[in-house]
Structures are given as structure tokens and as C-alpha cells.
């Protein structure tokens, strides 16, 4: 048994994936893809340590606090160098979260191969004719390189000290004269780059049909003015909201509900009132941004229910338009948004006409990537 640590790279932005969810957050059952990939590989070998590279490390740690999370860099190479700082084992296996279906057989061949070299690389043969611009290349000389790749840790650290940018570990190792050993890879170890790749990955199953609920509450006092904005609708009033942004209590409560359902904190963390870029901000735009974040980690909204608590102004005639504003911001049917209004029977600060409060509930489900 070799002394091996596992590094899983997953700090990319999925710019080529062209889906609202980042590929590392697609759900496989209840697990995000990154966790599914880690569990799969770690079930094949007793790694000394498992290090996951991500720009969402704090959020990821809620799902699996037993792993070591490291912040990613600008490039793959930067991310790998960050992770290698935490490695003290003799060997390190580097893989991509976007390759979730590594088999026990492939990993076994890679581990066995380290007896022959400093770096072991799985490769695929090329069956089709290959051109480089207008020239035909002998396809017998072409290799399609995959991960995971197993390297001697000290040599890989040395190889990455160069300013040269390498797209994989083996090319960096080869540049310093390390011996490379190739093993036959597997089609099932395909990397997810484009959304069309999902249909070619054999081990993935659909997300579970689970519902997550969140609730939110917000309140704003009045100050001098002539209108208030609630759920994106400007309503004539003898006062305005005292707030850093536009003070939209309905939207603010809904943002907290959506963030809460996804376990993503609260509106104050995402849009702090100490940041001047949110001064006078349109809360509908903040809602869109918050929902994009929720979508990026694998969720989509099912429905939203908002209650406005106001002694005045009367808002009954604005409720349908409010619901429409929310629905348009979330790109869902207005039938999935409900806005209610109530007074507090002249009790409390709302009843005294000193301000308005709102509560909201939102439900989320996993984005179903199998339906694309």
C-alpha cells in the first residue's frame, strides 16, 4: 500500500457548461457532483488525506467537513500549487471533480504503475483520422490524456515551480526530466466540459425529488418621502423607507427565504449595508443576483409566498402586480408567487404607522439536469 494523498480540483467557473448550475453542483441523488466524485474515488483506495480545491470551500465544507478544503487559484496550475502545500505524503493523486466515474480498475492500474515511473498517466488511443491544420498525423502517435494522474509529490512540487503554464501534471513532470508511465484509460473516465457530455457519463443518476424550505423577515421604518417600493412596485405614500437600498421589505424577506432554503446565509452577508455599491440599489436586481447564486449551486425555485404587514398604505390593489414583478425576476410563472397583505390591527410599530414589515417563505428543489 503506497502513501498517497488525493487532490480533487474543482475551482472552475463552468463557463463552457452553459447551464444555470455549475457542473460541480449538479446533484447525483442528493450529493453534489463534487462530493459524488470524491466518494467514488475514495472508495477505491485508503488515501492518507483528501484535499478539495474550490472557490466555494466554506459552503462545500457544510456537506463534508471531514475533508481538507483549499481555495483555488486563477489557473488550474495555481489551484494545484495551493493544494500541494497541504500534501506531505510520498505520492499524490490529482484528479478533476468533472471526472466523476473513475473505476476501481483504472485506479488500480495507475497505482501499480508508480513502481515503474515518477508519474503515471491514463491515456486513450485515437480511432479517427487526425489532422493538424492541413497535415495528417499518425494517429498511433497521438494520446488523449486523462486524469487522475499519480506523481511523486516532491517532483511535482518542483515541476510546478516553473513560470511555464502546463495543462496537466505529466507535461510539467516531463519538463524536468521525470519518467512518465502510461496506462490505458477508460471512456467512462470522460470529463464533463459541455452539457452534452452528461449523456455520455455512465455512472450518474438523476437528482432526488427533495424540497427545501426557507423563510425570511424584514422591516423598514419610514422617513420623509412620497412613495415606498414593495415587491418591485412603487406605491404612493406620505413617507419613504429609511434604508441603504430601496428598502423593499417584500423582496428582502424573499431573498433571505431563498438563501435560507439553500443554506447560503442571509442578505446581509451577500449585500452588506456597509458597501456603498448597494446604496439605493434596486432590490429586484438584488433578488436576481441572489437567485443566480442559488441556481449556480444546484437549486431552482418551486414557489414563493410573501406577506406584507402594513397599517398604511393600503396595498391590496397592487398585489397582483407585485407577484408579477417577483415572477419575472425569478423567470417563473406568476402562479408560483403569492403576495398577501395584512394589518396588525393598529398594534406595534406597524400599527402605529412607523414602518412596514414582511415575511416570506420559499421552496427549492434540485435542478434536474436529466431533462435537458
Amino acid at each position: 500500500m503506497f502513501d498517497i494523498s488525493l487532490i480533487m480540483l474543482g475551482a472552475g467557473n463552468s463557463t463552457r457548461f452553459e447551464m444555470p448550475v455549475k457542473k460541480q453542483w449538479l446533484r447525483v441523488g442528493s450529493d453534489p457532483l463534487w462530493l459524488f466524485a470524491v466518494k467514488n474515488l475514495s472508495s477505491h483506495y485508503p488515501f492518507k488525506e483528501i484535499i478539495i480545491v474550490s472557490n466555494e470551500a466554506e459552503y462545500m465544507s457544510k456537506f463534508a467537513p471531514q475533508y481538507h478544503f483549499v481555495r483555488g487559484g486563477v489557473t488550474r496550475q495555481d489551484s494545484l500549487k495551493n493544494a500541494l502545500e497541504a500534501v506531505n505524503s510520498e505520492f499524490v493523486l490529482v484528479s478533476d471533480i468533472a471526472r466523476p466515474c473513475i473505476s476501481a480498475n483504472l485506479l488500480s492500474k495507475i497505482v501499480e504503475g508508480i513502481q515503474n515511473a515518477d508519474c503515471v498517466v491514463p491515456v486513450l488511443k485515437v480511432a479517427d483520422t487526425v489532422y493538424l491544420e492541413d497535415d495528417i498525423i499518425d494517429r498511433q502517435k497521438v494520446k488523449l490524456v486523462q486524469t487522475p494522474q499519480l506523481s511523486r509529490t516532491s517532483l511535482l512540487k518542483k515541476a510546478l515551480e516553473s513560470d511555464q503554464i502546463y495543462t496537466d501534471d505529466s507535461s510539467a513532470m516531463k519538463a524536468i526530466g521525470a519518467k512518465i508511465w502510461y496506462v490505458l484509460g477508460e471512456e467512462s473516465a470522460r470529463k464533463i466540459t459541455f452539457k452534452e457530455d452528461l449523456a455520455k457519463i455512465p455512472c450518474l443518476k438523476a437528482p432526488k425529488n427533495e424540497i427545501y424550505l426557507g423563510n425570511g423577515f424584514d422591516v423598514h421604518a419610514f422617513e420623509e418621502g412620497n412613495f415606498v417600493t414593495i415587491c418591485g412596485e412603487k406605491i404612493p405614500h406620505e413617507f419613504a423607507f429609511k434604508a441603504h437600498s430601496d428598502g423593499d421589505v417584500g423582496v428582502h424577506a424573499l431573498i433571505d427565504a431563498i438563501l435560507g432554503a439553500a443554506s447560503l446565509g442571509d442578505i446581509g452577508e451577500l449585500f452588506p449595508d456597509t458597501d456603498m455599491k448597494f446604496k439605493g440599489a434596486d432590490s429586484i436586481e438584488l433578488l436576481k443576483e441572489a437567485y443566480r447564486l442559488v441556481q449556480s449551486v444546484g437549486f431552482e425555485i418551486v414557489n414563493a409566498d410573501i406577506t406584507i404587514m402594513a397599517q398604511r398604505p393600503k396595498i391590496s390593489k397592487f398585489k397582483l402586480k407585485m407577484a408579477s414583478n417577483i415572477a419575472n425576476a425569478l423567470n417563473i410563472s406568476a402562479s408560483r408567487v403569492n403576495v398577501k397583505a395584512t394589518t396588525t390591527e393598529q398594534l406595534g410599530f406597524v400599527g402605529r404607522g412607523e414602518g412596514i414589515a414582511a415575511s416570506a417563505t420559499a421552496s427549492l428543489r434540485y435542478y434536474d439536469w436529466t431533462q435537458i
Side-chain angles (χ1 to χ4, degrees):
M1 200 67 72
F2 296 100
D3 181 29
I4 304 174
S5 293
L6 171 64
I7 293 176
M8 296 293 286
L9 299 174
N13 292 318
S14 299
T15 52
R16 293 176 291 175
F17 195 52
E18 296 183 335
M19 294 178 74
V21 55
K22 294 180 181 179
K23 59 189 173 188
Q24 55 264 48
W25 288 102
L26 294 171
R27 289 313 195 280
V28 183
S30 292
D31 286 339
L33 184 76
W34 67 264
L35 184 54
F36 175 84
V38 174
K39 285 181 175 179
N40 175 61
L41 256 180
S42 61
S43 70
H44 302 329
Y45 197 87
F47 295 105
K48 179 178 181 179
E49 187 170 22
I50 296 174
I51 301 162
I52 300 170
V53 185
S54 169
N55 289 323
E56 299 153 320
E58 184 176 352
Y59 186 52
M60 281 187 174
S61 67
K62 292 185 176 184
F63 294 77
Q66 70 271 29
Y67 301 138
H68 185 165
F69 292 89
V70 173
R71 181 162 293 278
V74 176
T75 65
R76 179 189 189 276
Q77 190 161 313
D78 291 333
S79 294
L80 180 53
K81 289 168 71 172
N82 290 348
L84 283 170
E85 292 180 7
V87 176
N88 54 27
S89 56
E90 183 178 2
F91 301 100
V92 60
L93 184 77
V94 180
S95 193
D96 297 285
I97 283 168
R99 294 187 194 269
C101 298
I102 307 301
S103 72
N105 180 60
L106 177 56
L107 182 57
S108 178
K109 288 192 293 184
I110 293 170
V111 171
E112 289 173 6
I114 200 62
Q115 300 174 84
N116 304 308
D118 302 309
C119 178
V120 185
V121 185
V123 296
L124 293 178
K125 298 176 182 179
V126 177
D128 298 314
T129 299
V130 180
Y131 276 79
L132 178 60
E133 295 184 346
D134 294 327
D135 299 321
I136 294 179
I137 299 175
D138 182 356
R139 63 188 175 197
Q140 300 301 321
K141 296 181 180 180
V142 176
K143 301 181 182 72
L144 300 180
V145 174
Q146 297 182 307
T147 61
Q149 297 181 13
L150 181 60
S151 302
R152 295 186 184 276
T153 304
S154 59
L155 289 180
L156 183 56
K157 288 180 177 180
K158 179 182 177 181
L160 295 179
E161 290 174 357
S162 168
D163 292 332
Q164 177 72 35
I165 300 299
Y166 300 102
T167 57
D168 79 319
D169 313 339
S170 66
S171 51
M173 292 284 276
K174 181 172 283 189
I176 63 167
K179 183 178 179 182
I180 312 300
W181 186 262
Y182 298 104
V183 298
L184 184 61
E186 295 178 348
E187 285 290 342
S188 61
R190 177 186 292 271
K191 184 179 180 181
I192 302 171
T193 301
F194 307 102
K195 60 184 178 182
E196 293 79 12
D197 294 328
L198 290 170
K200 305 168 187 175
I201 307 295
C203 73
L204 303 183
K205 58 183 179 180
K208 283 191 175 180
N209 185 23
E210 297 178 339
I211 298 294
Y212 292 82
L213 297 178
N215 64 78
F217 179 82
D218 192 44
V219 58
H220 279 290
F222 290 140
E223 64 179 10
E224 290 185 7
N226 52 27
F227 72 89
V228 290
T229 300
I230 305 175
C231 293
E233 197 66 17
K234 287 186 176 181
I235 300 172
H237 189 41
E238 57 192 299
F239 298 108
F241 282 133
K242 183 179 181 180
H244 184 68
S245 65
D246 62 9
D248 192 327
V249 289
V251 170
H252 293 179
L254 180 57
I255 290 174
D256 261 351
I258 292 173
L259 294 175
S263 191
L264 279 168
D266 59 52
I267 188 173
E269 297 172 44
L270 194 59
F271 309 117
D273 60 11
T274 54
D275 192 330
M276 289 307 296
K277 73 179 180 181
F278 301 122
K279 179 68 175 177
D282 180 345
S283 293
I284 286 289
E285 293 305 312
L286 300 184
L287 174 61
K288 292 177 182 179
E289 185 174 340
Y291 186 47
R292 281 194 293 269
L293 173 62
V294 168
Q295 288 180 297
S296 75
V297 296
F299 294 98
E300 61 183 7
I301 193 162
V302 178
N303 76 303
D305 186 34
I306 304 167
T307 299
I308 310 299
M309 291 162 268
Q311 199 66 37
R312 62 179 191 270
K314 299 300 181 183
I315 63 174
S316 296
K317 65 181 180 179
F318 299 101
K319 291 189 298 183
L320 289 179
K321 187 61 171 64
M322 290 177 180
S324 177
N325 293 340
I326 298 295
N328 289 336
L330 300 174
N331 195 28
I332 59 175
S333 167
S335 65
R336 295 190 178 194
V337 180
N338 189 55
V339 177
K340 308 187 297 292
T342 186
T343 69
T344 60
E345 302 295 340
Q346 300 184 343
L347 298 175
F349 71 90
V350 170
R352 294 191 296 271
E354 297 171 1
I356 292 177
S359 65
T361 300
S363 62
L364 305 179
R365 64 188 172 200
Y366 295 139
Y367 177 82
D368 190 355
W369 53 269
T370 66
Q371 301 301 309
I372 60 173

